[in-house]
Each structure stands twice: as structure tokens, then as C-alpha cells.
Amino acid sequence: MVAAARAIAELGPDVVLVTGGHLEGDDSPDCMFAGGEVRWLESPRIRTRDTHGGGCVLSAALCAELAQGMEPVDACVAAKRFVERAIAAGVTMGSGTGPVDPGWERASGA
């Protein structure tokens, strides 16, 4: 993940986020590379099969934070926290992978 983040940063972006949601284990770390330094965004893995759309929700949350003027590093952290809650609020549908719920704030009254 670090090597991938560094390689992408060499192409020009100031901040790179490489997600670890598909890794095995009890944690779901994301690797953020900014200012030449690696920072790990750690979180426990949420045990659910309802993860469809998680990457799309992460990118949309990141774009929303940036559009509101948040600094890119802080926006990555905020977007990760948002998608964690969307995964936790996922919707079980049938027997397959269900979607995350990006409307968790509305449903929880947060």
C-alpha cells in the first residue's frame, strides 16, 4: 500500500489515499501519503457483508469535504469516518452483498 501510494504521488497529487478495506484481518487500515510522509488511518473492520458502494461513498464524501473547503488531509480522515458509519448502517437485501447506507446521518438523527 505504501509503495502504491508513493508511486501515485510521483504522478503529481499532493495527497494520496490507498484504502485497505479488502485486506484480511480485524483491522481496515487506509494508507495516506501526504507531504512525503505516510500516515495510517486505522479502524476496526466492521463485520458485515453489506459493503456494496463503499468506495463510491468514500470518494463522494471526500469530494464533499473538499468542496466545503476542508484541507485534503483532514478531508481524507473525515471521509473515512463517514464511510465507516455508512458501512455500519448497511442494508441487508436478499442473500447477496447489500449496500452501505450513506443516509445514516438522516436515519440516526446525527
Side-chain angles (χ1 to χ4, degrees):
M1 291 174 71
V2 172
R6 288 182 194 276
I8 294 167
E10 288 178 11
L11 298 174
D14 294 329
V15 179
V16 175
L17 183 65
V18 177
T19 62
H22 291 88
L23 298 175
E24 297 292 325
D26 293 331
D27 297 317
S28 181
D30 293 348
C31 176
M32 182 171 49
F33 188 77
E37 295 185 18
V38 172
R39 177 175 171 191
W40 289 96
L41 306 181
E42 304 281 348
S43 65
R45 181 169 307 284
I46 299 167
R47 297 290 177 192
T48 181
R49 67 174 191 218
D50 303 324
T51 57
H52 186 76
C56 292
V57 170
L58 176 67
S59 65
L62 180 54
C63 287
E65 298 295 2
L66 291 170
Q68 293 181 70
M70 189 176 280
E71 291 297 319
V73 169
D74 296 330
C76 287
V77 173
K80 179 174 175 72
R81 300 301 171 234
F82 182 89
V83 81
E84 286 171 357
R85 292 182 182 115
I87 290 170
V91 180
T92 300
M93 303 176 95
S95 61
T97 302
V100 302
D101 183 3
W104 64 266
E105 284 183 301
R106 178 185 81 282
S108 70

